[in-house]
Amino acid sequence: GVLAGAVALLLNSCSTGTVMSPIEIPGAHYVGTRACLDCHADYVRRFPASPHARVRFQRAANGDDTGCESCHGPGSRHIETAEHKFILNPGKDPTACFQCHLETQAEFSLPQHHPVMEGRMNCSQCHDPHGMDIMKSASGLAIARLNESCAQCHREQARPFVFEHQAMRENCTLCHNPHGSINRKLL
């Protein structure tokens, strides 16, 4: 019964979107996605196809309850300042990502992990939060994209070998947990 309830909850959250509390930035208020369009047109146009487009606030702002501010926080101070600061940047700080991805945050606390918490890596180096496919890639099938993403940093595993590493034909994450593990080499 508990397992069935958990599966139903998971399927419901995947189909209807995640409901989260709005991000608070002192002195800023929500302006809506249309305000982002002038400077960030590419992101705004691609975003509706993204899995992150399903994120919803518990309270709607300006009738726009999904969009840029779901992850980046209220945008008024970003628009008002010449430096365009005062907005969460998941490309530099994983805090915005961890608002929803609690399990991933916990995995980065394990002894073996990519150096995201130390600030030497960030979520957007491997993931495209704005695009249709969350895995960053140039081309290819889903497994190839995942391996391509890993190979950008782990080039020694991507080069040709006489005895090919099995995961290069299949999927790196079959054996390696990219976020964290208690075992060496993220196994």
Side-chain angles (χ1 to χ4, degrees):
V2 172
L3 181 60
V7 169
L9 180 63
L10 176 68
L11 290 174
N12 186 38
S13 69
C14 291
S15 63
T16 60
T18 302
V19 177
M20 61 179 270
S21 297
I23 298 168
E24 299 295 328
I25 295 177
H29 62 276
Y30 288 88
V31 294
T33 298
R34 282 184 218 88
C36 306
L37 188 59
D38 290 338
C39 299
H40 306 285
D42 286 348
Y43 292 128
V44 173
R45 285 190 187 105
R46 286 186 318 163
F47 187 72
S50 166
H52 286 115
R54 293 186 298 239
V55 174
R56 291 182 174 85
F57 288 138
Q58 287 179 344
R59 74 169 190 234
N62 295 334
D64 181 24
D65 67 340
T66 59
C68 307
E69 295 172 311
S70 298
C71 297
H72 293 285
S76 65
R77 291 188 67 194
H78 174 72
I79 293 168
E80 294 164 0
T81 63
E83 301 87 28
H84 301 297
K85 292 187 178 184
F86 307 106
I87 195 162
L88 291 178
N89 184 349
K92 293 187 176 157
D93 180 5
T95 306
C97 300
F98 293 156
Q99 295 267 339
C100 295
H101 300 283
L102 299 174
E103 184 176 322
T104 303
Q105 181 180 17
E107 289 173 340
F108 279 117
S109 299
L110 293 170
Q112 303 294 317
H113 59 270
H114 280 102
V116 171
M117 303 305 277
E118 294 79 6
R120 294 194 322 260
M121 275 186 81
N122 61 62
C123 302
S124 63
Q125 284 179 267
C126 300
H127 302 286
D128 179 5
H130 302 109
M132 194 176 354
D133 187 355
I134 199 71
M135 295 310 300
K136 228 178 190 172
S137 68
S139 63
L141 300 171
I143 291 171
R145 282 194 294 269
L146 178 61
N147 286 350
E148 183 181 309
S149 184
C150 298
Q152 289 187 20
C153 295
H154 300 283
R155 293 188 176 140
E156 67 279 3
Q157 277 74 33
R159 63 188 170 95
F161 286 97
V162 173
F163 299 102
E164 183 182 38
H165 187 63
Q166 181 80 15
M168 290 310 294
R169 266 187 278 136
E170 295 180 22
N171 181 336
C172 299
T173 62
L174 288 174
C175 300
H176 301 277
N177 183 336
H179 299 129
S181 174
I182 59 170
N183 301 309
R184 291 183 59 231
K185 299 184 179 182
L186 300 172
L187 292 169

